Amino acid sequence: HTLRGHKDHIYCGFLHQSLLITGSKDDSIRVWAYEEPYECTTVLKEDICKSQGTHGQDLLGVCCVLFDGQRLFSGQ
């Protein structure tokens, strides 16, 4: 299935019951209903996903996500 919505590569995904959470290079996290028609229900995007790396390069994107049923964790 193709998930349409992210504007760049999807780096990670986490499945929790009927939800699929994806993190992308576009600095967003999307929550999808993991059943037909696989629609995006929530978009989280914050500038906090952008920061400077130790060598001056920009670190962009959401590289990992974890959802415990109540809290959503993400990492760069």
Side-chain angles (χ1 to χ4, degrees), residues 1-11 20 22-32 37-45:
H1 298 282
T2 301
L3 301 174
R4 300 194 189 282
H6 282 294
K7 294 178 172 75
D8 213 324
H9 302 295
I10 294 174
Y11 286 152
L20 175 63
T22 55
S24 171
K25 185 178 179 182
D26 68 7
D27 296 319
S28 72
I29 296 170
R30 291 180 180 258
V31 180
W32 309 82
Y38 303 101
E39 293 181 344
C40 180
T41 61
T42 306
V43 178
L44 304 171
K45 183 173 174 84

Side-chain angles (χ1 to χ4, degrees), residues 40-64:
C40 180
T41 61
T42 306
V43 178
L44 304 171
K45 183 173 174 84
E46 295 191 27
D47 290 333
I48 198 164
C49 294
K50 297 181 180 181
S51 66
Q52 284 260 320
T54 56
H55 300 290
Q57 78 275 19
D58 286 334
L59 298 174
L60 299 174
V62 178
C63 295
C64 59

